Amino acid sequence: MSTELLTNPHRSSAIALPALKLLDVTLRDGGYLNRWSFTLEAMETIVTACADSSVDLVEVGYLGEDASLPPAASCPPSVLERLRKAAGGAGIAVMLRPTAPDPRKILASRSGLLDLVRIPTAIRALEPALTMAEQVREAGCDCSLNLTNLTAYPEAEVLAAAEAAARSGLPTHLYLADSRGASNPTAVASLMAQVRRFWDGPLGFHGHDNRDLGLDNALAAHAAGCTWLDGSINGFGQGGGNVVLQELVAASRSASSPLRRSLDHAGRVLGLERLTDRRSLYRLSASRNVSQDWIDLLAARYPVDHLLQALDTIPSRGYQSLDELFAELGWEPLTG
């Protein structure tokens, strides 16, 4: 496997690591902050900035057939055609949920416009995602299976799901997602190294920065054999935000300062900034291994100070449902 030098800003020396590819998730993951209401012009600005910064793939949103949705929430063929022109040498990726209706129709109408289709799946719900992966491959597209919420399950269960996905022969890429931002570099490195024992294809890591460990986790994943890393402009993304794409560019590309200027400019003109009013809440929820999806729901109902006090009383463990979390807190189940 070819190697390049990647400098970890938290270490004093450079180390030789597998060649790294970068994937931007600003439009897809960042869409949770604005309901994917990016204009087509804003989408083109982001795609162009990524291409100018030597980002390999740009994930431009979710695939769907609902014409009433914003472009990044459905990625119709006309939008993908324009984005491909803006992308230059960068590829176009999209996410397709395993529950999407009529995926064959969706994929057929976008033939030749996609470089990678990513399918998110829960660790314990692998079969629908594998069925979707088979349909994606039949449509002639490369396919990534993204195992989400990895900290919510024992490591052995995560590895078993990853190995089952590898044995299926369906995905061309395998991704592990720290959806809760609750992991740490040691755990990420251990998991990636073990996956490498049975998977020799493209291996990716999607991190969140709830505990300010996003970049460290990403670099640890790469050091353990991961070949794809996700980031977003200014960390613009769900909950505590993603790994900052500019930092990944600076860590992995030569002449990094010129390369990141386009990303900095796009972030500035489009106002791409992380949520800051709940930063302490996302940090605490991640330290308790609580889904940030639930935090968004609860923050709409309860004062942040109340939630901080409540979460501070519970242990860290892989809560599987909101009801389970409420039972730990001693609260009545949420209704309505």
Side-chain angles (χ1 to χ4, degrees):
M1 183 178 294
S2 62
T3 62
E4 63 184 15
L5 284 181
L6 174 65
T7 302
N8 184 335
H10 301 282
R11 297 174 183 163
S12 59
S13 60
I15 52 177
L17 298 173
L20 177 64
K21 294 183 180 295
L22 300 181
L23 189 151
D24 171 70
V25 297
T26 306
L27 291 165
R28 199 274 308 168
D29 205 321
Y32 285 98
L33 302 185
N34 63 8
R35 296 184 180 273
W36 297 277
S37 59
F38 302 97
T39 65
L40 182 51
E41 290 72 24
M43 295 176 75
E44 288 176 317
T45 296
I46 289 169
V47 169
T48 300
C50 289
D52 290 344
S53 304
S54 292
V55 173
D56 300 280
L57 274 174
V58 187
E59 188 176 56
V60 297
Y62 282 96
L63 282 185
E65 288 291 274
D66 188 344
S68 68
L69 294 175
S74 57
C75 296
S78 60
V79 169
L80 292 174
E81 288 172 359
R82 284 187 58 172
L83 295 180
R84 284 201 75 86
K85 292 178 182 177
I92 297 295
V94 291
M95 191 161 275
L96 180 61
R97 295 182 178 93
T99 55
D102 205 354
R104 288 188 172 89
K105 178 183 177 182
I106 293 174
L107 293 164
S109 66
R110 293 155 176 84
S111 177
L113 297 174
L114 302 171
D115 296 290
L116 182 68
V117 175
R118 306 214 295 174
I119 301 170
T121 179
I123 301 295
R124 295 174 180 171
L126 199 59
E127 286 306 315
L130 290 176
T131 298
M132 183 69 77
E134 185 173 16
Q135 294 171 339
V136 171
R137 295 297 302 278
E138 288 173 353
C141 295
D142 281 352
C143 170
S144 171
L145 209 63
N146 290 28
L147 304 178
T148 62
N149 285 300
L150 63 89
T151 61
Y153 308 93
E155 185 180 82
E157 192 170 351
V158 176
L159 289 169
E163 189 166 9
R167 279 200 314 270
S168 75
L170 293 170
T172 57
H173 298 58
L174 189 60
Y175 249 88
L176 299 181
D178 180 21
S179 309
R180 300 182 175 189
S183 198
N184 62 71
T186 300
V188 169
S190 172
L191 192 60
M192 290 296 177
Q194 292 183 78
V195 171
R196 269 295 177 222
R197 295 175 182 172
F198 54 78
W199 174 259
D200 60 2
L203 178 63
F205 175 73
H206 175 88
H208 281 261
D209 201 30
N210 300 48
R211 299 172 65 194
D212 300 317
L213 291 172
L215 181 62
D216 286 348
N217 286 342
L219 297 183
H222 184 217
C226 179
T227 50
W228 282 88
L229 294 178
D230 288 7
S232 62
I233 297 173
N234 293 341
F236 187 75
Q238 188 178 23
N242 297 104
V243 181
V244 176
L245 183 61
Q246 293 98 310
E247 294 179 352
L248 289 176
V249 168
S252 63
R253 303 295 192 248
S254 60
S256 58
S257 294
L259 287 178
R260 63 180 290 169
R261 284 185 194 138
S262 291
L263 298 172
D264 290 338
H265 177 73
R268 187 165 52 251
V269 299
L270 297 177
L272 303 176
E273 298 293 341
R274 294 180 182 180
L275 293 176
T276 56
D277 57 337
R278 299 177 189 170
R279 185 67 183 159
S280 58
L281 188 55
Y282 289 126
R283 184 179 292 113
L284 181 58
S285 67
S287 72
R288 299 299 186 262
N289 204 358
V290 170
S291 170
Q292 54 193 13
D293 292 339
W294 305 338
I295 294 302
D296 290 339
L297 175 65
L298 296 176
R301 294 173 177 252
Y302 303 107
V304 169
D305 287 347
H306 175 65
L307 293 174
L308 286 170
Q309 292 174 6
L311 290 172
D312 199 37
T313 66
I314 63 173
S316 173
R317 58 189 182 85
Y319 298 97
Q320 294 293 311
S321 68
L322 195 53
D323 285 345
E324 185 180 336
L325 176 63
F326 271 41
E328 187 68 53
L329 290 167
W331 294 2
E332 291 296 319
L334 195 63
T335 57

